Amino acid sequence: MSIFTRTIATQGLKALQSRANEAGENWWKDLLSLWRPSGQPSGNDGLRLAIRNGSLNFYFQGQSIAKVCFGHGGVPRIETHVKYVTDGQEAQDHAKLIGNQICLPHGDKTLPYNGLRTLREWIGRASQYTHNEKRFVDDIVGANESVIDVEMGLPAWGTRTSALRVDFVTLAQKAGETCITCWEAKLMSDARLCSRTEPEVLQQIQNYKDFFKAQGHGEHVQTAYREACRLLVLFKAMAERCGHPGVALSDTIISTAKGTSPLTIHPDLQLVILNDSASGERKHWPMHEAKLKQRGTDPIYFAGSVPSKRRLPESIA
């Protein structure tokens, strides 16, 4: 059984520190310049940083633009889907950026890395693959400085053979404690919210509850996110040394990194819904909503198209 962790090996961190400190430009400095932590809108090319188990992911509206991996001795590289690198690529393959050379899969050829221009080209291609639910999540991240993770996966356990996906995770201080809360985002038009019997999303919520009932899972997640906060603070310092003082982290993230308050986990997977349905479809929604509430799920709703108004309730996040 794999354990939920959020960590980067010491050698890898030293390599990133070195790249942040060296003269001239490089891809790590470029990624830090595009990093938009939670509470800041992503705009046309802002990236969300998510810390993983031994790697980092930089997302644009849910699309992984750059996965920072580490080889022998902590040498860092970027992996990205080949369809973001060149046009007309639909195969499930990845290109690698090592130094200033982009290596296409199967040894086909290499391309030069041209700094921010290259990353923005990748972002432009990736924008063709995003969709309304991913944009909705990114709007929420931009309006809430409490978000500390996106596209999160809880590892398989028991009889499960695949990870349990969570759209985003928040960290908020309440009554002297800091609470980790996991969230699922859906569009009201999503068929997984509607059923004549039981909506599919209810099984997803139950799977989440079952995960945290298992011995040790809660402690693993608490430890992981305290380390994630420590790393976010470290990367903020790197960004500032590279000349990007606008990277801001919430006081809660900073205090969690210092270990000054206990961590708890909200027992429920919170459901947030964007009302994107036509009026004719919405008239049936009360029936579906009643099924959710009967099972203890009380959704939070958003409407309209103004990203700055995606503020989560302070009572939860």
Side-chain angles (χ1 to χ4, degrees):
M1 180 190 74
S2 59
I3 294 176
F4 185 88
T5 58
R6 291 290 184 264
T7 186
I8 302 297
T10 301
Q11 286 183 315
L13 287 176
K14 287 181 177 179
L16 295 180
Q17 288 271 23
S18 176
R19 278 159 176 75
N21 292 334
E22 71 184 26
E25 300 303 314
N26 57 58
W27 59 258
W28 175 238
K29 289 184 177 182
D30 293 338
L31 285 176
L32 290 176
S33 75
L34 295 177
W35 177 27
R36 300 294 181 270
S38 58
Q40 302 176 34
S42 60
N44 294 325
D45 58 6
L47 302 178
R48 308 298 188 189
L49 167 58
I51 296 162
R52 300 295 182 231
N53 179 14
S55 63
L56 307 171
N57 260 323
F58 285 83
Y59 291 98
F60 179 76
Q61 296 181 354
Q63 307 300 308
S64 178
I65 298 299
K67 180 179 181 182
V68 179
C69 308
F70 302 90
H72 181 71
V75 176
R77 67 181 185 276
I78 284 179
E79 293 185 1
T80 190
H81 200 292
V82 70
K83 67 185 177 186
Y84 303 152
V85 176
T86 60
D87 294 324
Q89 298 281 344
E90 294 299 331
Q92 294 301 314
D93 281 321
H94 291 79
K96 297 179 181 179
L97 170 56
I98 304 173
N100 287 314
Q101 290 294 315
I102 304 167
C103 303
L104 298 181
H106 311 303
D108 289 348
K109 62 178 180 178
T110 62
L111 299 172
Y113 174 71
N114 295 313
L116 283 170
R117 189 179 82 181
T118 293
L119 291 181
R120 289 187 172 118
E121 288 174 353
W122 294 0
I123 291 168
R125 292 188 183 95
S127 67
Q128 303 171 37
Y129 295 91
T130 192
H131 51 82
N132 287 341
E133 183 184 294
K134 299 297 185 184
R135 284 187 281 268
F136 175 42
V137 171
D138 190 73
D139 289 346
I140 291 173
V141 176
N144 296 272
E145 66 277 4
S146 59
V147 178
I148 57 167
D149 202 358
V150 294
E151 304 291 331
M152 185 264 264
L154 295 169
W157 78 100
T159 58
R160 283 188 63 90
T161 57
S162 60
L164 177 61
R165 298 296 173 186
V166 172
D167 284 319
F168 63 98
V169 182
T170 59
L171 193 67
Q173 285 188 327
K174 305 293 176 187
E177 294 183 334
T178 302
C179 185
I180 299 166
T181 305
C182 296
W183 299 75
E184 178 65 19
K186 289 280 190 286
L187 306 180
M188 190 176 284
S189 58
D190 194 324
R192 291 170 293 182
L193 291 174
C194 307
S195 173
R196 293 184 180 276
T197 54
E198 181 174 279
E200 182 180 328
V201 71
L202 287 176
Q203 184 59 56
Q204 186 176 358
I205 293 170
Q206 186 58 52
N207 290 341
Y208 170 88
K209 293 179 179 179
D210 291 343
F211 177 88
F212 282 105
K213 287 178 183 176
Q215 185 176 7
H217 284 185
E219 290 81 359
H220 295 156
V221 171
Q222 290 167 340
T223 300
Y225 278 124
R226 193 176 296 282
E227 176 64 8
C229 289
R230 188 187 72 82
L231 291 171
L232 288 172
V233 171
L234 179 62
F235 295 141
K236 168 182 163 62
M238 289 189 199
E240 290 171 342
R241 284 200 302 278
C242 295
H244 308 295
V247 173
L249 298 176
S250 72
D251 292 341
T252 303
I253 290 176
I254 293 171
S255 64
T256 301
K258 295 177 180 177
T260 55
S261 62
L263 286 177
T264 61
I265 299 175
H266 198 292
D268 296 318
L269 177 65
Q270 298 295 310
L271 179 62
V272 58
I273 296 174
L274 177 64
N275 186 348
D276 70 328
S277 298
S279 58
E281 296 173 316
R282 285 198 299 271
K283 70 179 182 181
H284 300 293
W285 177 250
M287 174 184 67
H288 302 300
E289 180 186 53
K291 293 178 182 178
L292 297 175
K293 290 187 173 182
Q294 286 170 5
R295 290 284 298 273
T297 296
D298 194 1
I300 295 165
Y301 295 97
F302 289 104
S305 58
V306 182
S308 61
K309 294 187 176 180
R310 308 286 194 234
R311 189 78 181 168
L312 297 169
E314 292 187 2
S315 60
I316 305 176

